[in-house]
Amino acid sequence: MGTTVSAVDDVLAEYGGLEAQLADPELHNDQKAARRVAKRFAELNPVVKCYRELTQTRDDLEAARELAYEDSSFKEEVERLEKHEDKLANQLADLLAPRDPHDSEDVVLEVKSGEGGEESALFAADLARMYTKYCDKRGWNVEVLGATESDMGGYKDIVFSIKTKQPTRDGVWSQLKFEGGVHRVQRVPVTESQGRVHTSAAGVFVFPEPEEIEEVEIEDKDIRIDVFRASGKGGQHVNTTDSAVRITHLPTGLVVSCQNERSQIQNRARAMQILQARLQALREEEAAAKSASGRADQVRTVDRSERIRTYNFPENRITDHRIGYKAHNLDHVLDGHMEDLVAALVEAERKSRLEAE
């Protein structure tokens, strides 16, 4: 209890300081600093709100108990308030528990086709649409940074930048970090004339894109920059100039492309930002692996045997193998209704975190 009180005191003190900063007009002259303060304020707000409600509930409970001594009709109110107090106390403890430090961050998400040829590329396009629709429902901004289409309209690869419109405690990473890995599909491909069910796979890679990226030193000798003509939908400028940029980080083999901006200079700057974010995420993954803690590394190869989830079209079934989640509403999920699936993954992570304390 003492630890909780101390933690709450620290949060209240920081929250008050942030509130004062946000009220200072000078802060808003620096949009980057203002967003950073607003983001931290949004992270702490649920904790403060819960604590204040808990404090008010305890005051009400004390008053109800005093009244119950004189009037037994207040006993029901006492019981209701006691249950609500317990609920809020547990909620506050959960809010104060250690959490993923990137949960409030935006993300870059990449979908790549794997085994299965054209069918895999078509499935990658299905996943891309699923994520886009889910993000639209959440009110997030989705920007396509680059894409390579297949002959039949699928995607060999497609990269999104996904951002919240307002700072929040539970950002895009808190909801989509579970998507990294191999996604397996079982269905009859459009190229299959005998009606046989085939299995193919696509890979999803997702990493946080913090507002401020730690200094990641990238030497010129360690990168190769290629420019090429942008392809696909994107406006009148597409296919007119070599404006798209691909950066290869030679020591790690990481490849980042950007073709969404209007000029080669802008695409190069954006690609370098993403490369820095990817290198930072890679460094954190390696550090977590060495200490045997943190989230498991995402799958590096798109192999059907290393799957996190299966999409079975004949049975309209979706299965997440990590948590044993199974539902027969695949069509609904692919239409962007991922809420139940994501909630199950978030809850599984929460339980795992609390058990590890």
Side-chain angles (χ1 to χ4, degrees):
M1 182 66 180
T3 303
T4 300
V5 172
S6 174
V8 169
D9 287 344
D10 290 343
V11 168
L12 291 174
E14 184 180 359
Y15 188 82
L18 294 169
E19 199 167 29
Q21 288 184 61
L22 288 170
D24 184 355
E26 286 294 320
L27 174 69
H28 300 279
N29 292 330
D30 184 343
Q31 289 302 311
K32 193 173 182 180
R35 181 173 174 80
R36 184 175 63 251
V37 173
K39 183 177 180 181
R40 181 57 178 162
F41 186 78
E43 290 175 9
L44 297 182
N45 191 56
V47 182
V48 174
K49 184 178 178 181
C50 182
Y51 171 74
R52 287 173 176 171
E53 186 178 354
L54 177 59
T55 301
Q56 183 60 55
T57 298
R58 284 173 172 165
D59 290 343
D60 294 343
L61 178 58
E62 184 179 351
R65 282 171 174 164
E66 290 178 2
L67 291 170
Y69 281 120
E70 302 174 2
D71 187 344
S72 60
S73 64
F74 281 95
K75 288 184 178 180
E76 288 186 8
E77 179 66 3
V78 169
E79 291 176 359
R80 184 190 71 80
L81 288 169
E82 285 176 340
K83 290 179 181 179
H84 192 50
E85 180 193 24
D86 287 341
K87 178 184 176 182
L88 290 172
N90 290 330
Q91 183 180 335
L92 181 61
D94 188 33
L95 287 169
L96 290 170
R99 63 198 306 264
D100 188 329
H102 291 299
D103 273 354
S104 63
E105 306 290 1
D106 299 323
V107 308
V108 172
L109 184 147
E110 179 179 6
V111 184
K112 294 176 68 71
S113 62
E115 291 185 10
E118 193 65 51
E119 164 63 8
S120 176
L122 291 170
F123 177 51
D126 290 336
L127 292 176
R129 281 190 293 271
M130 177 183 74
Y131 292 130
T132 300
K133 289 185 176 183
Y134 176 66
C135 292
D136 287 343
K137 294 178 192 300
R138 295 299 303 260
W140 296 335
N141 290 321
V142 180
E143 177 186 10
V144 177
L145 299 178
T148 305
E149 294 184 6
S150 67
D151 293 337
M152 295 182 65
Y155 286 118
K156 293 180 181 178
D157 64 79
I158 182 168
V159 183
F160 299 101
S161 171
I162 308 172
K163 299 178 179 293
T164 56
K165 293 180 180 178
Q166 296 293 334
T168 176
R169 174 183 171 88
D170 296 317
V172 184
W173 175 258
S174 73
Q175 307 296 299
L176 292 184
K177 61 184 171 182
F178 310 102
E179 297 306 301
V182 170
H183 297 240
R184 186 177 69 169
V185 61
Q186 295 172 325
R187 66 182 175 188
V188 179
V190 294
T191 56
E192 168 59 51
S193 59
Q194 303 298 318
R196 293 171 297 187
V197 174
H198 287 229
T199 298
S200 61
V204 176
F205 302 82
V206 56
F207 54 93
E209 188 179 14
E211 185 74 18
E212 291 186 4
I213 299 172
E214 293 178 15
E215 190 62 34
V216 178
E217 186 175 344
I218 302 177
E219 297 186 25
D220 290 341
K221 67 180 180 63
D222 289 338
I223 59 175
R224 184 179 72 244
I225 299 177
D226 300 305
V227 296
F228 57 98
R229 188 157 296 180
S231 62
K233 300 175 183 178
Q236 295 180 350
H237 70 294
V238 172
N239 291 325
T240 59
T241 60
D242 291 336
S243 61
V245 172
R246 180 187 299 112
I247 300 178
T248 303
H249 187 250
L250 301 175
T252 62
L254 290 176
V255 179
V256 174
S257 299
C258 187
Q259 64 182 48
N260 194 60
E261 305 296 341
R262 290 283 172 177
S263 71
Q264 185 184 128
I265 293 175
Q266 290 173 317
N267 279 321
R268 174 171 174 162
R270 185 73 176 101
M272 283 297 291
Q273 287 179 333
I274 297 169
L275 179 59
Q276 284 187 308
R278 290 195 69 169
L279 287 172
Q280 180 174 321
L282 182 63
R283 185 167 62 185
E284 291 176 0
E285 275 184 13
E286 291 173 346
K290 287 180 181 178
S291 62
S293 64
R295 200 169 61 93
D297 287 354
Q298 294 178 29
V299 178
R300 296 300 181 200
T301 58
V302 186
D303 185 302
R304 286 178 299 194
S305 64
E306 301 180 74
R307 69 204 187 281
I308 64 165
R309 192 176 299 152
T310 296
Y311 303 72
N312 186 302
F313 277 70
E315 298 179 13
N316 194 34
R317 170 171 51 82
I318 185 166
T319 305
D320 194 288
H321 305 287
R322 296 164 296 182
I323 60 173
Y325 177 92
K326 186 182 294 185
H328 288 83
N329 63 343
L330 175 57
D331 54 344
H332 197 57
V333 174
L334 287 175
D335 196 39
H337 298 279
M338 297 176 62
E339 297 85 0
D340 291 345
L341 172 61
V342 171
L345 289 161
V346 169
E347 178 61 18
E349 186 202 41
R350 187 188 74 85
K351 288 182 178 178
S352 177
R353 185 183 71 239
L354 292 175
E355 289 171 1
E357 287 183 22

